[in-house]
């Protein structure tokens, strides 16, 4: 997708600190970390958020959840806990309009979220 930062990262046009990559997804460090561990997990296929999903996108979302658990275990935050956040719309803070999941850990998190 033209002018999409995450598509440009996928295509190697913008640098990013890659944590994991395969044919379906990319995991990178967030450029502006909000916790000691702050990763972004996103599919390579561009869609905006859950309002823009087709049935073809269902499987990758499940895969992202399972991969998030794997990474949390690898990073040693499975015991202390971690948060997955996915914003849908500018009104709740979505600033990059290519679906992504924030994996956050390593500090105390409040509830309800701000
Ligand atoms: P959201 O607000 O949910 O759309 O989150 C977008 C996140 O993307 C935000 O935490 C900052 C991050 N971000 C924006 N531009 C870049 C970039 O060029 N590289 C990386 N690694 N992260 C980015």
């Amino acid at each position: 997708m033209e002018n999409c930062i995450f598509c440009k990262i996928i295509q190697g046009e913008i640098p990013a600190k890659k944590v994991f990559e395969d044919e379906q997804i990319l995991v990178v460090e967030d450029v502006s970390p909000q916790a000691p561990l702050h990763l972004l997990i996103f599919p390579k296929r561009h869609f905006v958020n859950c309002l823009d999903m087709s049935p073809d996108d269902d499987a990758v979302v499940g895969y992202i959840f399972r991969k998030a658990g794997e990474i949390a275990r690898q990073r040693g935050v499975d015991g202390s806990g971690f948060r997955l956040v996915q914003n849908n719309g500018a009104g709740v803070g979505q600033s990059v309009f290519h679906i992504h999941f924030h994996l956050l850990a390593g500090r105390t998190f409040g509830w309800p979220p701000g």
Side-chain angles (χ1 to χ4, degrees):
M1 179 67 69
E2 223 176 303
N3 293 326
C4 169
I5 292 170
F6 289 175
C7 285
K8 288 183 178 173
I9 289 175
I10 290 162
Q11 284 151 17
E13 293 169 17
I14 292 179
K17 291 186 181 164
K18 292 184 184 177
V19 169
F20 175 83
E21 179 171 19
D22 67 10
E23 68 286 350
Q24 291 192 75
I25 65 169
L26 188 58
V27 184
V28 301
E29 291 182 11
D30 195 291
V31 79
S32 173
Q34 302 301 309
L37 179 65
H38 187 172
L39 304 177
L40 300 170
I41 310 176
F42 47 90
K44 289 191 169 177
R45 181 158 53 201
H46 180 101
F47 56 101
V48 173
N49 56 36
C50 70
L51 298 169
D52 185 38
M53 283 180 72
S54 77
D56 285 348
D57 300 316
D58 290 357
V60 78
V61 174
Y63 178 48
I64 284 171
F65 265 70
R66 186 165 59 77
K67 184 57 70 178
E70 262 179 49
I71 292 170
R73 261 191 220 100
Q74 284 165 5
R75 296 298 183 103
V77 297
D78 49 322
S80 50
F82 60 97
R83 189 168 282 183
L84 286 178
V85 176
Q86 187 265 316
N87 294 316
N88 293 278
V92 297
Q94 187 174 9
S95 60
V96 177
F97 294 91
H98 178 130
I99 195 166
H100 52 279
F101 294 78
H102 299 257
L103 192 169
L104 298 142
R107 65 167 169 82
T108 301
F109 290 89
W111 192 264

